[in-house]
Amino acid sequence: MFDILGFKALRCSLETAGLYTRLKQLVVPLMQHAAAGRGKIIDGPMGSLFVPDFHAQSVEYRIISDTIILISKDDTFQSFLNIINSCVQLLKFGFAGSKTPYRGAIGWGDVVLDGPHILVGEAVEDAHAGESCQAWAGCMLTPACEAFVIEHNYLYDYFWGVLHVAEQEAEPQKQRKAVDLASLIAHYPVPIQVNRKNEPKAYATREAYVLDWTIGMFEGAAAKAFHQSSEPHVMVLQQNTIEFEAWARKNNRRGFVGPLVADVAGN
């Protein structure tokens, strides 16, 4: 589950009709590309078009106002890979493609998806709680999701599988690409907002697995993604996002992945 940060300010700036046009022409197509997981080129009336290529493993998607929801088919290892891929793509689109930063969480639990109208279950509640408590633009695994994927060795299989591919590659460029893939999931003290009734916002951190959207992204994306604001809370969100980008570029590459794999194996 992802929320578009700065959505209210954007609506005030563009007004409802302008915001609708932006959602329809930019945000929704990018969301569809992220959900599909891959694209294809087709011939259109104005020339070639790159469109989402939905297939059996693509995730479901919904959009409600400023909230985007991606739903995997089940909780198998393949679906875990699919949802990670889709979420990373959506984050990247938010920073580069649409200048609309997202804050999201990958939850886990039971869910009923009945057509376009009914979506209920523990997974929805878990993802919403995980998304709304963060104080940055980014995405983390909720405690419930983290416990599930560790219990079923998904993180272990993911890291070791990708690093094994990297070790087998003779070409440095392909090896680097495989190592970057292993680095998509990192461990980080996520900034959390603590909202107590009738008290100012307070902030803390929570150790969690997060998605590294900086891989393959131009430097300084965090600073450029946010619209200028003098609101203290928005400034905190932006600064926390900038700090994550700096940390990820410095620390979250192969030298960090190895110890992380060992830590997952220990769990």
Side-chain angles (χ1 to χ4, degrees):
M1 181 177 291
F2 291 86
D3 263 12
I4 301 174
L5 297 181
F7 190 80
K8 184 177 180 180
L10 194 60
R11 184 182 59 77
C12 291
S13 174
L14 300 176
E15 298 186 345
T16 300
L19 180 57
Y20 164 74
T21 300
R22 182 184 177 93
L23 289 173
K24 182 178 180 181
Q25 295 181 352
L26 187 60
V27 175
V28 170
L30 293 178
M31 174 188 65
Q32 291 173 330
H33 273 282
R38 69 187 188 194
K40 63 182 178 181
I41 297 176
I42 64 171
D43 293 327
M46 303 296 291
S48 297
L49 297 173
F50 186 68
V51 300
D53 182 17
F54 286 93
H55 52 97
Q57 295 179 349
S58 295
V59 303
E60 295 277 349
Y61 65 90
R62 297 290 185 274
I63 182 168
I64 305 170
S65 187
D66 62 339
T67 301
I68 292 174
I69 305 173
L70 303 173
I71 311 110
S72 66
K73 305 293 185 184
D74 48 40
D75 57 13
T76 61
F77 180 62
Q78 183 60 56
S79 288
F80 172 66
L81 299 181
N82 295 339
I83 204 74
I84 292 294
N85 176 57
S86 292
C87 289
V88 168
Q89 286 195 45
L90 186 64
L91 285 173
K92 287 178 176 286
F93 289 147
F95 282 104
S98 60
K99 199 176 180 180
T100 309
Y102 296 105
R103 179 184 63 203
I106 303 176
W108 177 83
D110 66 18
V111 66
V112 174
L113 177 63
D114 184 4
H117 305 300
I118 299 177
L119 175 63
V120 295
E122 293 174 333
V124 179
E125 298 167 6
D126 185 48
H128 176 264
E131 177 276 318
S132 60
C133 73
Q134 296 171 76
W136 69 344
C139 180
M140 74 174 189
L141 274 64
T142 67
C145 180
E146 179 179 313
F148 174 80
V149 296
I150 289 177
E151 178 185 358
H152 289 75
N153 294 320
Y154 288 180
L155 289 178
Y156 178 87
D157 292 343
Y158 176 80
F159 289 122
W160 276 119
V162 175
L163 290 177
H164 177 72
V165 171
E167 291 174 355
Q168 303 304 312
E169 287 289 355
E171 297 181 28
Q173 185 176 3
K174 291 184 178 180
Q175 187 179 67
R176 179 70 260 173
K177 186 175 181 180
V179 171
D180 284 347
L181 183 60
S183 302
L184 285 179
I185 305 176
H187 206 254
Y188 186 75
V190 177
I192 300 296
Q193 55 192 29
V194 182
N195 299 324
R196 296 184 176 91
K197 191 174 182 180
N198 300 324
E199 292 185 12
K201 287 185 184 294
Y203 301 95
T205 59
R206 174 189 299 167
E207 294 289 335
Y209 287 103
V210 302
L211 303 186
D212 185 356
W213 53 266
T214 70
I215 298 171
M217 180 66 62
F218 63 88
E219 291 196 31
K224 295 178 180 179
F226 285 81
H227 293 278
Q228 188 172 2
S229 174
S230 59
E231 185 181 340
H233 181 59
V234 175
M235 295 172 69
V236 168
L237 300 184
Q238 181 176 22
Q239 183 57 37
N240 287 340
T241 308
I242 291 173
E243 290 177 3
F244 171 76
E245 180 179 1
W247 174 89
R249 294 189 185 281
K250 180 179 179 180
N251 300 292
N252 187 37
R253 295 301 180 263
R254 188 165 191 176
F256 180 75
V257 171
L260 178 56
V261 171
D263 178 63
V264 173
N267 290 332

